[in-house]
């Protein structure tokens, strides 16, 4: 028993922790800049194997990229199109995100699945487009409340993982992060309990083990997302399979985002 716990802790310590803020459709350039200046000051010196990521709207990416130079903050896009270039009015390509300094891109967020016709197939195409442009991906998965109540959580999340990661190589998987975000917990103030979240993270790791190999499954970062706040981050992070958080509402205020980061280190 003791050995099992020690082994789990060792595996967890080898995984990269990531706290990412998803700003969604919030903050014009001036607001983005004042947030980032406050954040930069507050997180100076924090590393401890933790990555701090912000995901502003497309319109603020360029200025934020300039503002974070020399800091320990990384940039993420909130979506991408699956083609490299061409006649796709209104879309943003992986190369454009790379050009503007993004390391990560969030793909498959439940709001895009709900409002923008995102499917497991388009998620898969977008992931492949990012990977062939050498960008990393945060892929969001999670069940609705109806699916949970119907006892379909495992099948829905399993399908999102299998279809989303279809055709990826072991090497590709080094650039993939998963965010488990139960839809019923997003923006509702209703967090999954740490053990509910851990159970799903374990299931996701097992699914990845079946698709790839043990080494990938035990080293992949799996974030939890859904009403994460400074008050619940530490107990979530104590779970063996939770390696970070994707934060919406509480990432919009620099003070609370910093408290979440500090609660996770
Ligand atoms: C999100 O949108 O990814 C999210 C987790 O939102 P919130 O933290 O507000 O629940």
């Amino acid at each position: 028993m003791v050995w099992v716990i020690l082994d789990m802790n060792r595996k967890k310590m080898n995984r990269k922790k990531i706290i990412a803020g998803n700003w969604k459709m919030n903050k014009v350039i001036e607001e983005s800049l004042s947030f980032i200046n406050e954040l930069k000051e507050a997180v100076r010196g924090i590393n401890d194997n933790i990555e701090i990521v912000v995901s502003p709207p497309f319109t603020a990416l360029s200025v934020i990229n300039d503002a974070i130079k020399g800091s320990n903050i990384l940039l993420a896009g909130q979506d991408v199109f699956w083609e490299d270039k061409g006649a796709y009015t209104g879309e943003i390509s992986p190369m454009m995100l790379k050009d503007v300094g993004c390391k990560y891109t969030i793909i498959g967020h439940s709001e895009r699945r709900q409002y923008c016709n995102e499917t497991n197939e388009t998620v898969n195409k977008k992931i492949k487009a990012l990977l062939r442009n050498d960008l990393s991906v945060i892929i969001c998965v999670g069940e609705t409340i109806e699916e949970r109540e119907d006892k379909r959580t495992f099948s829905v999340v399993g399908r999102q993982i299998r279809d989303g990661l279809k055709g990826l190589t072991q090497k590709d998987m080094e650039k993939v992060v998963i965010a488990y975000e139960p839809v019923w917990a997003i923006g509702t103030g209703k967090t999954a309990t740490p053990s509910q979240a851990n159970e799903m993270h374990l299931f996701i790791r097992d699914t990845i083990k079946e698709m790839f190999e043990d080494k990938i499954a035990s080293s992949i970062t799996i974030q939890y997302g859904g009403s994460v706040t400074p008050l619940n981050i530490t107990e979530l992070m104590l779970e063996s399979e939770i390696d970070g958080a994707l934060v919406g509402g509480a990432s919009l205020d620099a003070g609370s985002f910093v408290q979440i980061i500090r609660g996770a280190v």
Side-chain angles (χ1 to χ4, degrees), residues 20-24 106 109-111 140 179-191 224-229 245-252 260:
N22 174 14
W23 296 6
K24 313 188 184 191
I106 299 169
H109 192 280
S110 65
E111 287 149 14
C140 303
Y180 168 61
E181 300 207 302
V183 181
W184 47 270
I186 296 179
T188 58
K190 207 172 161 188
T191 328
Y224 167 77
S227 297
V228 171
T229 68
L246 180 56
V247 189
S251 78
L252 292 175
I260 290 173

Side-chain angles (χ1 to χ4, degrees), residues 113-131:
R113 293 181 193 258
Q114 183 181 355
Y115 302 120
C116 307
N117 298 324
E118 191 83 278
T119 63
N120 292 336
E121 288 66 39
T122 57
V123 163
N124 181 251
K125 290 206 269 188
K126 289 178 178 188
I127 292 173
K128 286 178 175 160
L130 290 164
L131 293 171

